Amino acid sequence: MARAIKTSDEIALIRQACAIADVALWEVQQAIRPGITENELFAVMSYTNLKHHGERMDCKLLAAGGNTNPWLQRTSTSRMVRPGDLVTMDTDMAGPLGYFADVSRTYLCGDGPPNTEQMEAYKLAYDFLYKSIPLFTVGTSFQEIAEKVPAVPQIYKANRYSLISHGVGMSDEWPDVYFTDTSPLAEFGTANHAGVLQENMVMTMEASFGREDGREQVKLEEQLLITANGPEIMSTAPFDWRFVP
């Protein structure tokens, strides 16, 4: 909890880490092609971080096709990416001096259009993300965020992300914001919904949508600086504009 409010130096390092993550995600997007493996794409992401003096990757969160649903079931493997597969990734990278960039994107392999399942999941994830971000203002309680985010359709609930938001610093940090219908666990002696957003906190906004009976899952995530003028999105990583006009 003592680490939740960042100093100006920490914010500068987090900005640097997010800049590297933006480049890494762009490099992965350019590298996606039929026949490349999940591990090869993860290597592109990791190499970009190391090349720019980042410290490490905390997880191998990159998956394609059927490996994406449910999200977090598998880390990157030697599975080949096929035309029409979704490729889903979460940077979870510690940049220079150990400060974190936690940004997620999902891209489509090949030049063809997305199918109906992919389009619906992506639209739900994108809308959930950008309708929720304006809630991240100074003084807003974690409980209020949980109550006001858009409802998740029933067919997507089983595979949604485990939480709505979490703090970011040198790793995933306090606080966690859970959905209202999940049981908040005790963390550092206080309920996860207890507390309010304060200026210079750094938070993520998570969105993960895949049908319970579906093949693939879309994961999108933004990293936010809480400012007196509202939330600032710290990433400029590209989206796949075949899904988002």
Side-chain angles (χ1 to χ4, degrees), residues 226-237:
I226 309 305
T227 80
N229 298 317
E232 175 192 330
I233 299 172
M234 303 185 82
S235 170
T236 61

Side-chain angles (χ1 to χ4, degrees), residues 62-195:
L62 189 150
N67 282 358
T68 63
N69 191 350
W71 180 242
L72 296 179
Q73 183 179 33
R74 299 179 180 89
T75 56
S76 67
T77 68
S78 58
R79 181 194 190 281
M80 288 193 301
V81 180
R82 294 180 293 175
D85 278 350
L86 291 182
V87 182
T88 300
M89 64 211 73
D90 187 339
T91 58
D92 267 355
M93 66 170 57
L97 299 182
Y99 280 84
F100 223 54
D102 195 2
V103 182
S104 298
R105 292 291 187 267
T106 298
Y107 301 118
L108 180 65
C109 177
D111 297 325
N115 62 38
T116 301
E117 178 191 337
Q118 293 168 340
M119 182 65 80
E120 180 180 85
Y122 203 108
K123 184 180 188 309
L124 284 167
Y126 189 87
D127 286 351
F128 185 82
L129 198 66
Y130 280 94
K131 288 178 180 177
S132 300
I133 286 173
L135 300 173
F136 285 73
T137 57
V138 172
T140 302
S141 71
F142 307 149
Q143 181 66 29
E144 187 177 354
I145 293 171
E147 291 171 352
K148 290 187 174 180
V149 294
V152 176
Q154 187 63 42
I155 195 67
Y156 288 91
K157 274 193 173 181
N159 291 340
R160 68 186 171 181
Y161 204 69
S162 58
L163 46 74
I164 297 166
S165 174
H166 63 80
V168 184
M170 298 189 83
S171 62
D172 290 359
E173 295 182 354
W174 186 89
D176 292 334
V177 181
Y178 288 93
F179 290 94
T180 56
D181 60 343
T182 57
S183 299
L185 305 173
E187 184 172 332
F188 304 117
T190 185
N192 290 327
H193 287 319

Side-chain angles (χ1 to χ4, degrees), residues 34-55:
I36 197 167
T37 67
E38 294 170 345
N39 280 337
E40 286 177 298
L41 291 173
F42 179 79
V44 171
M45 187 188 302
S46 181
Y47 169 72
T48 305
N49 186 38
L50 293 172
K51 180 174 69 172
H52 294 289
H53 309 291
E55 288 196 353

